[in-house]
Amino acid sequence: MQAIEAIKLTRRFGSILAVNKVSLSVAEGEIFGFLGANGAGKSTTIRMLTGLLEPSEGDAIVGGYSIVKSPNKVKEHIGYMSQKFSLYEDLTIEENIKFFGGVYGLKTSELNARKESILKLVDIKYPQNIVTKILPVGIKQRLALGISLLHRPKIVFLDEPTSGTDPLSRRNFWEIIQSIANEGISTFVTTHYLEEAEYCNNIALIDKGKIIAIGNPQKLKKTIFSERPIFEIDVASIENVLLLLNQEKELGEFAIFGTKLHLYSQQKNANESTIVDYLLQKYRIQVQRIRKIQPTLEDVFIHYIESNNNGSN
């Protein structure tokens, strides 16, 4: 049985179509990444899947319960770490744990037994009488994750859990996610950090409320770029180059990556010298450096975003 099965989930806010027929499935014990830019529809989707927001159309089965017919049952059987609200900052660590333990209906003896193992799992070593608001952001996030696991849910939803944290804190957080997945807990996590998707078993890319790609991160990269090599190019003035290459179709597609250009070649056998000669002869662009590189998930995301935008025009 799938932990999560969404069928054409749709949500409208007036005339705005926020989520457009989203279908996906998450297996038991799987880490599923839901990726997209801010405003793409990630949080709206996760609020529907957790039973907090009724879909305009469609349905989802979460932990064996329909989000349309039994949203309260869904809430009882999941853990949820919200993007904007997960802790009471004026309460201490211990008070937060007691409060949410009560919300989850845990008896005092059961909560005490769970408390120490949860704090150990998320590596919280601060005294439990410290007020939460003075904790570093990364520690708060780990504590919020631990609290979402107090009642031993088999499915946990994490909405932008590492937002605002430093790279080391993000890596530590994902190590914890991996450890709970190893215990068979299914994790549905939204993020706009594309590098975090590498930790996921499967991912879905969402743009303008619509899923534009879904699958294993490595397979997505191989599927798209197996016949299309990628080249990283250094030139003197990247802005002027893009103006010239905006209509360029013979070589392939160009995109800015920091201070460099990425060329997604149309030709499987394209090579560096041919590209350098072409740019010099046609555009008088001198290439300072060029090299063939392996695709990243950012390359995948840009490819699908551009394809989606071109298809909608």
Side-chain angles (χ1 to χ4, degrees), residues 82-138:
S82 168
Q83 179 183 358
K84 295 182 179 179
F85 173 79
S86 294
L87 300 169
Y88 285 101
E89 296 209 332
D90 289 333
L91 299 182
T92 66
I93 293 175
E94 184 173 25
E95 287 169 341
N96 265 290
I97 292 172
K98 285 183 177 179
F99 173 80
F100 285 102
V103 171
Y104 293 137
L106 300 179
K107 297 179 180 179
T108 302
S109 58
E110 188 178 6
L111 178 59
N112 289 336
R114 290 289 294 151
K115 180 175 67 174
E116 296 305 323
S117 63
I118 284 295
L119 290 175
K120 182 177 180 181
L121 171 67
V122 297
D123 195 26
I124 302 293
K125 298 176 181 177
Y126 284 76
Q128 293 179 31
N129 61 353
I130 284 184
V131 177
T132 305
K133 65 182 174 184
I134 69 172
L135 295 173
V137 174

Side-chain angles (χ1 to χ4, degrees), residues 243-297:
L243 289 174
L244 289 170
L245 300 180
N246 213 13
Q247 302 301 317
E248 172 61 37
K249 299 299 180 185
E250 187 171 337
L251 286 180
E253 301 168 3
F254 286 85
I256 288 182
F257 271 67
T259 60
K260 306 179 190 299
L261 284 174
H262 278 197
L263 166 62
Y264 309 106
S265 176
Q266 299 282 26
Q267 303 171 0
K268 183 177 181 179
N269 297 320
N271 60 68
E272 289 87 341
S273 60
T274 301
I275 295 168
V276 170
D277 291 342
Y278 180 88
L279 293 177
L280 182 61
Q281 291 176 17
K282 186 170 182 178
Y283 296 105
R284 296 292 183 264
I285 294 173
Q286 290 190 332
V287 173
Q288 298 173 332
R289 184 170 179 264
I290 182 171
R291 65 189 183 101
K292 189 175 179 180
I293 61 173
Q294 294 298 313
T296 65
L297 279 174

Side-chain angles (χ1 to χ4, degrees), residues 178-222:
Q178 185 62 64
S179 69
I180 65 177
N182 291 339
E183 295 180 7
I185 297 174
S186 303
T187 306
F188 187 100
V189 55
T190 70
T191 181
H192 60 266
Y193 294 115
L194 291 173
E195 69 272 16
E196 292 187 346
E198 301 284 359
Y199 297 112
C200 300
N201 303 113
N202 288 292
I203 62 171
L205 306 180
I206 186 170
D207 181 47
K208 300 175 183 176
K210 183 179 179 181
I211 288 185
I212 56 176
I214 193 165
N216 175 268
Q218 301 305 319
K219 288 182 179 179
L220 283 175
K221 287 187 283 189
K222 289 179 180 178

